[in-house]
Amino acid sequence: MDGNPYKQEEKYTIIIGCGRLGANLANTLSDNGESVLIVDKREEAFRKLSPSYGGLTMTGDGTDVSVLNEAEIDKASAVISVTNRDNTNIFVSLIAREYFNVPHVIARLYDWERECVYQEFGIDTICPAVLSFKEIDKLLSGEGEERGRP
Ligand code: AMP
């Protein structure tokens, strides 16, 4: 990446991991006119971004502090780590929060037992299994009424 044009802007989001979730998130933020940079260790992962994606991409390992420095993490208002590995997401989030003092840090965790541990560090976590459980519970409790079934 040659020079980061976002460094002076107020709202700047860095996403680590360009899988389906990361790419969709980057597309949405970019479509909303926000400044976004997405990092993935595999260059081909960026093919998931939409042709209209107007943000930046960077090939590199999100756990590598030199990559985070190049992404100008110290200027980020939010870091969202959504790789497929909990340990990577935790590591990136702790660096972002504790070392670079990024105001808003979000990590995806597959293992829900680790979720509460990170809240004390000011890291928000999203756990797909917990979200699915809540949605299923909502559907079950609202079944019949909301969908107009007898
Ligand atoms: P998914 O499995 O669809 O959630 O995608 C996860 C993405 O995270 C993949 O594109 C991986 O290449 C990417 N990824 C995994 N580990 C790292 C890492 N340490 N740094 C950057 N990207 C990573």
Side-chain angles (χ1 to χ4, degrees), residues 16-20 39-42 45 60-62 82-84 88 108:
I16 311 293
C18 192
R20 267 177 297 181
V39 179
D40 201 289
K41 60 183 181 181
R42 295 177 309 112
D61 188 326
V82 286
T83 75
N84 47 338
T88 299
R108 170 171 66 183

Side-chain angles (χ1 to χ4, degrees), residues 81-112:
S81 192
V82 286
T83 75
N84 47 338
R85 297 177 65 102
D86 281 5
N87 284 344
T88 299
N89 295 335
I90 289 163
F91 187 79
V92 170
S93 300
L94 286 173
I95 291 177
R97 192 78 198 99
E98 297 293 296
Y99 191 71
F100 290 100
N101 211 18
V102 175
H104 202 171
V105 178
I106 304 172
R108 170 171 66 183
L109 294 181
Y110 285 111
D111 180 359
W112 70 58

